Amino acid sequence: MDFAPSPRATEMHDRLKAFMQAHIYPRIRDHKEEIEAGNFPVSFMEDLKSLARAEGLWNMFLPSLRDDEPGTRLSNLDYAPLAELMGQVSWSSEVFNCNAPDTGNMELLHMFATPEQREDWLVPLLNGKIRSAFAMTEPDVASSDATNITTSIRREGDEYVINGRKWFITNACHPNTRLFIVMGKTDPNADRHKQQSMIIVPRNTPGLEIVRNPTILNMHDPEGHAELVFKGVRVPVGNLLGEEGSGFALAQARLGPGRIHHCMRSIGAAEMALNLMVERAQERKTFGKQLSEQGVIREWIAKSRLEIEQARLLTLKAAWKIDQVGAKKAFREISLIKVVAPQVHAKVTDRAMQVFGAMGMTPDTPLADSYTWARALRYADGPDEVHLQAIAKQELKNSNYGMSAQWLTPPLR
């Protein structure tokens, strides 16, 4: 295993870092103030996107990017440190057209779209002209098991009719979102993993209603994690993505790299929190000492560094393995880091909030929002418990039962 960045990745990282310092960090306050004033999308986002694309910092997440498509083709391993850097500012990924859920949807369309679907939806997504949403999770079932999905997709002649309710659909409220990739059941009587299909639903289709945009731990996201209703929604049969019954397989293909993209950004968010913690500890005094001289604070700093480095190495291993053998064979490593990264993100951020005191819970720092998102990521793309079950199942399956006897020394009888 070689996790060393390639020369190209190092050069891209340096360019991205310079761009962040010149154009992203100086706009953090502007972004915050515009969002608080109800201006969304923010006034300068399109200018930043144009600048990023002109500088070659565009679509860096897609290893299968074609020569005639806009962006820079990088391996998952080479993309990891770039995503980590973007993760230090929650909204920055959009600037580089590397934001979820668009990245996962672009991967899905890249693999399975028809020529017409590519032209209508993938091309504008790759060019950053539109946004998209992925509608799988539902309020009435445990959606971490995609076979539980109840939304119906029924064929009637040359159309599919969709009925169902979805929620926590990221990007649903973004004014530039033009398509929803919807997962539902086309054949409830088929094999358990062949019942589901995916279909493209344009935003303006009659019968598609955004019911509400619930807050997450009381944090409002203007892009939305919305609840939707599909009531008699009709779309042409040509909107089917892949084949009928392939929805479960498509979902697994989409969730491979996308899961570790979240983890890469979580490492960056944890690194940002640690930096804030270290500087704050050197600025504040309690009981006659700098916080940085207090034993418990030093322990928090040290533990945070240990945890971040361990999570980063595990993320790089998962990225490397996807590059080597594909997401399907790397699912164990993907599950491992999917559990570890959000927990590290949350733990380090929680310590930083504690060091800041009451200020750490206010909008004066990015910590409260970052902590909220870290907690939410323990549900996104499958809750921790599902991944832990999958990891344990593999350990049990791969065990050489009886081998442990060679290490035991019970009394002879």
Side-chain angles (χ1 to χ4, degrees):
M1 286 178 272
D2 183 1
F3 302 154
S6 68
R8 188 183 192 193
T10 300
E11 185 258 338
M12 290 290 290
H13 186 272
D14 291 343
R15 286 167 51 197
L16 179 62
K17 185 175 182 180
F19 189 99
M20 296 281 289
Q21 291 173 335
H23 303 292
I24 301 295
Y25 301 138
R27 303 310 292 265
I28 289 175
R29 181 180 293 276
D30 296 336
H31 189 278
K32 175 175 177 287
E33 290 177 352
E34 287 203 25
I35 294 296
E36 289 175 348
N39 299 330
F40 184 79
V42 295
S43 61
F44 52 85
M45 179 57 71
E46 293 305 317
D47 291 339
L48 287 180
K49 289 168 69 173
S50 296
L51 185 58
R53 183 168 179 176
E55 295 195 12
L57 299 170
W58 191 257
N59 287 344
M60 298 171 285
F61 66 93
L62 196 56
S64 59
L65 192 73
R66 298 178 181 178
D67 292 339
D68 62 347
E69 293 173 330
T72 301
R73 182 169 54 245
L74 294 173
S75 68
N76 285 288
L77 182 61
D78 281 347
Y79 177 62
L82 306 183
E84 177 181 328
L85 195 54
M86 295 177 212
Q88 295 183 7
V89 180
S90 62
W91 51 267
S92 71
S93 293
E94 183 180 358
V95 173
F96 311 101
N97 215 39
C98 293
N99 47 284
D102 294 331
T103 50
N105 291 341
M106 283 186 268
E107 286 176 320
L108 202 53
L109 291 167
H110 214 261
M111 289 185 285
F112 303 108
T114 64
E116 293 78 13
Q117 291 168 351
R118 290 180 66 90
E119 188 63 30
D120 290 345
W121 306 114
L122 179 58
V123 170
L125 278 170
L126 286 170
N127 284 306
K129 299 299 183 183
I130 64 173
R131 300 290 301 271
S132 64
F134 184 69
M136 187 180 85
T137 51
E138 299 180 0
D140 298 324
V141 298
S143 303
S144 55
D145 179 357
T147 62
N148 288 336
I149 298 302
T150 61
T151 294
S152 70
I153 303 175
R154 187 182 72 257
R155 182 163 182 170
E156 290 187 4
D158 293 334
E159 294 180 319
Y160 282 104
V161 183
I162 306 164
N163 286 283
R165 185 178 293 268
K166 303 286 186 180
W167 77 339
F168 284 92
I169 308 306
T170 303
N171 251 15
C173 297
H174 197 294
N176 296 337
T177 293
R178 293 291 179 268
L179 76 148
F180 292 80
I181 297 178
V182 181
M183 186 162 174
K185 286 190 175 179
T186 43
D187 186 357
N189 299 314
D191 178 79
R192 186 164 175 258
H193 294 95
K194 299 289 186 180
Q195 299 176 3
Q196 306 81 15
S197 300
M198 288 191 189
I199 197 160
I200 296 170
V201 178
R203 182 192 183 103
N204 60 357
T205 306
L208 168 55
E209 177 190 356
I210 297 177
V211 177
R212 61 176 178 140
N213 178 19
T215 58
I216 296 179
L217 290 180
N218 290 331
M219 182 182 78
H220 173 71
D221 187 339
E223 294 184 352
H225 303 288
E227 181 176 356
L228 316 175
V229 169
F230 296 83
K231 189 174 182 179
V233 173
R234 291 178 175 270
V235 296
V237 294
N239 284 27
L240 188 72
L241 193 59
E243 301 175 350
E244 277 198 19
S246 66
F248 188 88
L250 267 62
Q252 294 304 110
R254 182 188 184 278
L255 288 174
R259 278 178 171 147
I260 69 164
H261 291 171
H262 280 316
C263 297
M264 295 167 184
R265 289 188 290 266
S266 279
I267 305 303
E271 192 72 58
M272 175 268 294
L274 177 55
N275 288 335
L276 285 170
M277 187 196 319
V278 168
E279 291 202 15
R280 182 69 165 174
Q282 295 176 82
E283 294 171 352
R284 298 186 77 193
K285 279 188 176 181
T286 58
F287 305 107
K289 287 184 178 181
Q290 298 291 133
L291 281 180
S292 58
E293 297 178 275
Q294 303 287 356
V296 67
I297 304 299
R298 290 192 171 196
E299 183 176 328
W300 288 354
I301 291 170
K303 283 185 174 180
S304 297
R305 173 51 64 203
L306 290 168
E307 291 160 0
I308 290 171
E309 294 300 326
Q310 290 168 351
R312 179 182 289 117
L313 284 171
L314 191 53
T315 303
L316 292 175
K317 181 184 178 184
W320 173 85
K321 193 161 185 180
I322 292 174
D323 290 334
Q324 296 297 312
V325 298
K328 188 173 183 179
K329 292 184 178 179
F331 76 93
R332 175 178 172 272
E333 284 73 17
I334 293 170
S335 288
L336 288 168
I337 192 54
K338 177 58 185 64
V339 175
V340 170
Q343 292 188 5
V344 169
H345 180 176
K347 283 192 287 187
V348 175
T349 306
D350 180 71
R351 293 176 188 134
M353 291 168 68
Q354 197 73 2
V355 171
F356 268 83
M359 181 182 176
M361 297 188 293
T362 72
D364 293 358
T365 81
L367 295 171
D369 284 351
S370 187
Y371 179 84
T372 298
W373 185 235
R375 186 63 186 86
L377 283 175
R378 293 183 59 196
Y379 299 109
D381 297 340
D384 289 1
E385 292 74 16
V386 170
H387 292 284
L388 290 169
Q389 286 287 324
I391 294 164
K393 185 177 178 180
Q394 281 301 305
E395 292 296 315
L396 292 166
K397 180 181 177 181
N398 296 334
S399 70
N400 295 316
Y401 188 76
M403 187 184 71
S404 62
Q406 63 189 333
W407 297 305
L408 303 178
T409 56
L412 298 174
R413 292 187 178 90

